[in-house]
Structure formats: C-alpha cells, structure tokens
Amino acid sequence: MKILVINCGSSSLKYQLYNMDEKTGVVLAKGLVERIGMEGSNLQHTPEGKDKFVFEQPLADHSEAIKLVMDKLIDPECGVISDLSQINGVGHRIVHGGKYFSDSCIVTEEVKDAIKKCFDLAPLHNPANLMGIEACEKLMPGVPQITVFDTAFHHSMPQKAFMYALPYEYYEKDDIRKYGFHGTSHKYVSMRAIDMLGGKKESKIITCHLGNGSSVAAVKDGKGIDTSMGLTPLEGLFMGTRCGDIDLAVVFYLMKKEKLPAHAIDQIMNKESGVYGISGVSSDFRDIETAANEGNERAKLALDMFHYKVAKYIGEYFIALGGADAIVFTAGLGENSKTSRAAICEQLKCLGVEIDEEKNSKRGEEIDISSPNSKIRVFVIPTNEELMIAQDTKELLDK
Ligand code: ADP
C-alpha cells in the first residue's frame, strides 16, 4: 500500500511517499516545495537512494505545487512509481482541529467545513492545510484523503485540564480552552515508549517535544491527559522566539508603557521572545549553546531558564499522572542535545531520576539513557510525525 503524506504550510509543502506494506513503512521519496506564490519558488525532490533533484519554476498556489510533485513522482528519471493510481491514499497534516476532532478521519464535506470553522484559531496554517486537501481532490479524484490533526491526541484531556478560569460563557460561545499541539509527535513517541516499557498496559509517560516549537505532555495509558500548549501554540514552555507562559497583565502594561498596539505585542510575543529574546543571539539552540560555551551570559541565562522551565513542567505532570514510568525527550533539541538533557535531568534527581552519561552521549537512535537505579526510565526517541500520519492513514484505509 502506497501512501502520500502532505504537510502544507502557508507558502511551503513537505511530502513523503511511503510504501506501508510493513508497519514501519519505507520512504520511497520525499521533498519540499518552497516559496509557493512568491518569486523563486522551487521543488527539492529526493527519491530513495538517489541524490536530490531541484526544480525551479513559478508556482502560483498549492494546487500547482502538488501538480509538480505528482509529475515528479511518476517522472521516468526521478520518479518512484509509474502511475498516480498506485497511490492508495493521502494523509494530510492539519494543525488545528478545534473541538471537532478527537482522531484522524477520512475527508468529507463536513470535515472540510469543520477545518474552515477552525480558521480563526490557526489563521496561518488551517487555510493552507485545506488548500492541500482540495488540490489533491482535484488532481487525484477518487483517492481517499485522510486528515491527521495536531490537536487530536490531546482531545482526551479532562475538562479540569483544558479549561481556563475565564467566564464560562467564552468557553461556550467562543470555544476558548486549551487544545494543545504537536499531538502527532506526542502520540508517536509515547507509543514507542510503551513498546520500550515492554508493552505495559497501564503506563504513565511524560513526553518532552523540544525543538523550535516546544511542548510537554502527560500521557496515561496511551492517552493525552494534559499538555503545555493552549488555545494556540504560544502557551507553555518558551521556545525559539515564543514567550510561553507569562503574566498576562504584561500585555496591558506594555500597551500603556510602550504605547504599543495589540498586533505589535502579538509580534513581540510570537517572533521576538523566547531564547532569542533573552539571549539576543539566535532562536537556534545550537547557536545559543555555542555562545554560552564562549561565556555569553545571556545565552547561559536563556538555557538555564529553559532547562528550569522544562523540569518544572515535568514535575507538574508527575503530579498530574500520579507518578511516571518514563520521561521521553524528542525533536531537534531533545534528540540531539546531551547537555540540555543532562541539565534538565539534574533537576529531576528529587524524583529519583538518574541518567547514564555514556548512554546520554549517543545520538540518532531510540535509547534508554537512564541508569539502572533510576526510578523513572528516561528515553530519547526520534520523533516521526510523517510515519505516524502514514500509519493513521493506512489504518483508516484498512477499515
Ligand atoms: P521544528 O519545531 O522546526 O520541527 P526541530 O524539531 O527540527 O524544530 O528542532 C529545531 C531545534 O533543534 C533548533 O533550535 C536547533 O537548534 C535544535 N537542535 C538541532 N540539533 C541540535 C544539536 N545538535 N544541539 C542542540 N540543539 C539542536
């Protein structure tokens, strides 16, 4: 069974074509279209086992971008299939499913309407995601389209976890509540962690997705019961450029003090804050680690603040879960930075967490980095959101 996974951003499109005959999937080709609707649009297409092909040509919209991808997938030189009819289904990553979706589903008119209803909640992402679906429907009539939502995994949160203590009417009228994001990643790594725990039926896992965007989730018996991101991906941990949790009164204070309009503060909190805002160096953790090693005090502060904040969230979810069997580190920083993992785990000693320095130095593989005495297992698990989308798509098609 061949499944195409598509992730449409506002001006970009990422894809992977999988052969899903086996559960772990085999990537046949993958690629990226950049600058859709802008000058310099291009496709970077990599068939399995071959070098990258780059095609530069004007692409007015996502429909033209997907058409180009399809042409290259069946191209005699760089293609990997002979005919588009060999694709059994397409899995689309959708950022916001709002209150409507607790699981992946097959696209219908109702599903598209609900994705539209979430436009206000994710104005940059959901319209692009929907464009991807509509373009595929046009180009591959009759091929089932499946949607996989970033928010769906967190749908199992109990009401006490997802409510904000605002007047109740805003929850009823405007759907203002915590939704959470990175759900596909939290789902994938928590499933892998359950496997690594020997397929334990009852499990308590804390998953830390630490990348450009970062979030922590509490997962009980395979279901999300709390997470750090909220109505939008701004809440929770601070990140590359996002400020995360702050006293909301800062907004009104800044408006008055600096005479700033709301949209300027939105820009500050989403694009100019986080480790970038603190360090003044970069939003990229690698640059911050380098600067900190060279003695830059603000870079050191940014890292100290970040590790402290992650450790505090882990403590919070330890309470929410009533203990923990495993803590998982994933995404760019979580998978690659042994110093960040060590600094976070150092603060978890009071929970009985102990890691093995040598195991913590390994990279790029699923590994248990805890020492035999540790009361909680600590896993590094490379995330694979595309594979999770392909697996969900296959599962729905099989049904
Ligand atoms: P995204 O949220 O864009 O998917 P990623 O999960 O790819 O992000 O994570 C990107 C972040 O991971 C960047 O801040 C990058 O600096 C960090 N990162 C990647 N590799 C390393 C490394 N070896 N050491 C420290 N940080 C790293």
Side-chain angles (χ1 to χ4, degrees):
M1 179 183 287
K2 296 198 176 57
I3 288 168
L4 181 64
V5 173
I6 289 194
N7 180 357
C8 282
S10 50
S11 64
S12 69
L13 183 162
K14 290 187 203 146
Y15 62 93
Q16 293 201 10
L17 180 66
Y18 278 93
N19 181 343
M20 289 302 292
D21 290 344
E22 280 171 40
K23 189 163 181 255
T24 45
V26 175
V27 178
L28 301 174
K30 62 180 169 185
L32 164 71
V33 188
E34 285 180 314
R35 303 185 60 82
I36 298 170
M38 295 185 226
E39 214 169 287
S41 43
N42 65 83
L43 162 64
Q44 299 161 40
H45 172 76
T46 314
E48 170 63 15
K50 285 193 188 167
D51 287 340
K52 189 197 280 179
F53 291 76
V54 180
F55 305 95
E56 287 177 24
Q57 69 178 71
L59 296 165
D61 54 30
H62 286 75
S63 191
E64 289 188 12
I66 291 180
K67 173 84 174 64
L68 181 64
V69 171
M70 308 270 178
D71 287 347
K72 297 306 168 193
L73 286 173
I74 56 169
D75 184 274
E77 195 190 349
C78 66
V80 289
I81 49 176
S82 54
D83 194 284
L84 289 181
S85 64
Q86 290 171 7
I87 298 177
N88 302 90
V90 185
H92 296 265
R93 177 205 178 196
I94 312 292
V95 166
H96 218 307
K99 64 181 176 187
Y100 303 102
F101 300 100
S102 58
D103 219 333
S104 305
C105 59
I106 293 185
V107 173
T108 61
E109 287 310 309
E110 290 75 42
V111 168
K112 287 194 277 180
D113 282 346
I115 293 172
K116 275 187 209 154
K117 285 187 187 143
C118 300
F119 274 9
D120 278 348
L121 291 167
L124 293 180
H125 292 99
N126 270 35
N129 299 158
L130 185 63
M131 266 193 280
I133 296 175
E134 288 176 338
C136 285
E137 283 178 334
K138 218 164 44 182
L139 294 163
M140 312 165 77
V143 175
Q145 314 283 325
I146 275 86
T147 47
V148 180
F149 299 89
D150 268 20
T151 48
F153 182 64
H154 306 297
H155 230 262
S156 38
M157 279 190 283
Q159 195 174 14
K160 68 178 176 189
F162 72 64
M163 288 298 290
Y164 294 124
L166 290 165
Y168 199 80
E169 65 189 89
Y170 298 115
Y171 164 62
E172 291 182 308
K173 208 162 52 125
D174 300 318
D175 300 326
I176 294 179
R177 48 161 282 185
K178 186 189 267 285
Y179 291 99
F181 297 86
H182 293 141
T184 311
S185 175
H186 289 294
K187 180 176 172 185
Y188 178 78
V189 298
S190 59
M191 279 169 58
R192 293 298 313 130
I194 291 171
D195 266 6
M196 288 167 79
L197 290 167
K200 215 166 174 273
K201 254 206 142 141
E202 291 181 355
S203 58
K204 298 168 179 176
I205 297 167
I206 299 168
T207 48
C208 307
H209 178 108
L210 311 179
N212 221 336
S214 296
S215 65
V216 186
V219 186
K220 191 160 193 284
D221 309 335
K223 294 209 177 334
I225 63 153
D226 209 340
T227 191
S228 57
M229 281 179 167
L231 175 80
T232 75
L234 186 58
E235 192 185 340
L237 300 174
F238 58 93
M239 316 176 198
T241 60
R242 287 176 237 164
C243 67
D245 304 327
I246 57 165
D247 180 346
L248 301 174
V250 169
V251 175
F252 313 109
Y253 192 74
L254 262 180
M255 282 175 132
K256 222 160 113 189
K257 248 331 224 185
E258 299 282 341
K259 302 197 173 43
L260 289 171
H263 67 83
I265 297 181
D266 186 61
Q267 166 83 8
I268 291 170
M269 292 184 167
N270 273 296
K271 303 275 183 214
E272 296 166 27
S273 300
V275 287
Y276 168 74
I278 295 293
S279 68
V281 171
S282 166
S283 64
D284 191 303
F285 276 96
R286 278 165 293 202
D287 301 337
I288 307 213
E289 285 186 357
T290 305
N293 288 336
E294 287 166 353
N296 183 314
E297 289 300 328
R298 274 171 50 189
K300 277 193 216 166
L301 174 63
L303 289 176
D304 273 356
M305 287 170 62
F306 188 74
H307 301 146
Y308 176 62
K309 184 91 183 170
V310 176
K312 282 205 301 184
Y313 260 108
I314 292 173
E316 193 174 302
Y317 292 161
F318 182 86
I319 300 293
L321 289 163
D325 299 305
I327 295 166
V328 181
F329 289 103
T330 193
L333 182 79
E335 289 167 31
N336 294 302
S337 175
K338 61 176 180 187
T339 49
S340 284
R341 289 193 299 261
I344 293 164
C345 290
E346 178 66 28
Q347 298 176 61
L348 303 174
K349 277 191 165 158
C350 56
L351 298 179
V353 171
E354 268 183 49
I355 58 168
D356 180 299
E357 212 175 302
E358 201 186 312
K359 288 184 195 152
N360 186 37
S361 300
K362 300 227 168 101
R363 260 166 77 161
E365 55 180 303
E366 286 183 357
I367 184 170
D368 179 347
I369 60 166
S370 46
S371 48
N373 295 335
S374 184
K375 292 212 177 98
I376 304 174
R377 306 260 61 84
V378 183
F379 298 148
V380 178
I381 302 180
T383 193
N384 196 338
E385 287 156 289
E386 291 78 15
L387 177 60
M388 189 77 254
I389 294 173
Q391 284 176 347
D392 273 13
T393 303
K394 178 176 188 302
E395 205 175 294
L396 278 167
L397 293 179
D398 284 344
K399 275 185 197 160

